[in-house]
């Protein structure tokens, strides 16, 4: 098994055909076919199902693809971290942002890293807290934002800020960020929610249990953009952090108000793997992300949030 075989596997899986993969790799088609065939012989299982429609991964192929991506990523990182110029911070850093924070944080983080550490290559992924935790545990990202995680044996967790969740409704519902609404009011409407076990669903479910409230959940989706579009289309209300909807409210696309009776808060934390050797570039990006988040809170760009780290 060698790097060329793993590269061919990833290319064919992404392209869906040997012909397209060969074009992307600047190789002739028989060379790519040979690399895949040799890898399958070594493993003793087929990695692709071949059909007129293209190349589709088998179950074994999907498992191998996951490992191949990780191996190639680590090799790329090793190349980037070999420092021909001592004192120059460089490397590849993969950051996992909560989907609700990506719009506020991603662009500024990229800009700042390019300005202060131009030899650091940044990768940004976003998802719900459950996704970010899975990526951290699997080693797919170097640092990430989580919420309501106080401790974990595999992670070093630093709580940064707390923020209130908001009720979110279509623009004609009359919600106002200056007039909080109760969870009972939300429960009187159909609701669109993330599916369990993602964090906001867990937080809201716990609050409903305390008040013996049942929600009429009509749709579940684990994509924030879809969640907001469904609300705009009139399929129900939802519950999200203010940061996820502030721009939509300002543009008149949604209406929203902080929850009270009870107020439901989430604590956003920075998480890094609890390993003794964290690359300097990862620490540098983590520090920039924390500084950027603090500035966003101080400017008022992070609605209903208060900073916790210095307490």
């Amino acid at each position: 098994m060698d790097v060329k075989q793993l590269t061919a596997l990833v290319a064919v899986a992404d392209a869906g055909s040997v012909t397209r993969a060969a074009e992307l790799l600047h190789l002739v088609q028989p060379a790519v076919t040979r690399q895949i065939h040799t890898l399958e012989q070594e493993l003793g299982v087929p990695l692709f199902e071949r059909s007129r429609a293209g190349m589709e991964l088998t179950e074994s192929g999907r498992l191998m693809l996951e490992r191949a991506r990780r191996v190639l990523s680590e090799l790329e990182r090793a190349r980037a971290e070999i420092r021909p110029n001592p004192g120059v911070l460089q490397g590849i850093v993969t950051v996992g942002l909560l989907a609700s924070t990506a719009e506020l944080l991603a662009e500024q983080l990229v800009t700042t890293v390019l300005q202060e550490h131009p030899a650091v290559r940044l990768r940004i992924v976003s998802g719900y807290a459950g996704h970010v935790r899975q990526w951290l545990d699997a080693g797919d990202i170097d640092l990430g934002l989580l919420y309501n995680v106080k401790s974990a044996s595999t992670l070093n967790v630093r709580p940064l800020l707390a923020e209130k969740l908001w009720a979110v409704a279509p623009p004609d519902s009359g919600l106002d960020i200056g007039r909080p609404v109760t969870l009972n009011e939300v429960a009187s409407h159909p609701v669109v929610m993330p599916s369990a076990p993602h964090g906001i669903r867990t937080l809201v479910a716990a609050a409903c249990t305390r008040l013996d409230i049942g929600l009429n959940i009509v749709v579940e989706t684990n994509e924030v953009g879809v969640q907001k579009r469904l609300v705009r289309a009139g399929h129900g209300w939802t519950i999200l952090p203010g940061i996820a909807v502030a721009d939509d409210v300002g543009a008149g696309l949604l209406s929203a108000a902080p929850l009270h009776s009870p107020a439901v808060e989430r604590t956003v934390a920075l998480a890094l793997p609890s390993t003794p050797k964290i690359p300097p570039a990862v620490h540098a990006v983590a520090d920039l992300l924390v500084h950027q988040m603090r500035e966003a809170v101080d400017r008022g760009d992070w609605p209903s949030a208060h900073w916790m780290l210095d307490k």
Side-chain angles (χ1 to χ4, degrees), residues 150-213:
K150 296 181 180 179
S151 63
S153 60
T154 59
L155 299 174
N156 287 323
V157 179
R158 260 197 299 173
L160 300 178
L161 60 87
E163 61 176 329
K164 293 179 180 178
L165 299 186
W166 287 9
V168 183
D172 59 359
S173 297
L175 294 185
D176 188 319
I177 59 174
R179 296 196 302 270
V181 299
T182 67
L183 193 55
N184 264 314
E185 172 64 12
V186 176
S188 69
H189 299 271
V191 293
V192 179
M193 291 293 289
S195 59
H198 289 291
I200 288 179
R201 178 69 175 268
T202 302
L203 284 172
V204 173
C208 288
T209 298
R210 290 195 299 272
L211 296 181
D212 194 24
I213 294 173

Side-chain angles (χ1 to χ4, degrees), residues 128-144:
Y128 282 88
H131 299 137
V132 178
R133 178 62 185 269
Q134 289 170 5
W135 297 332
L136 281 164
D137 289 342
D140 294 332
I141 61 176
D142 299 300
L143 64 126

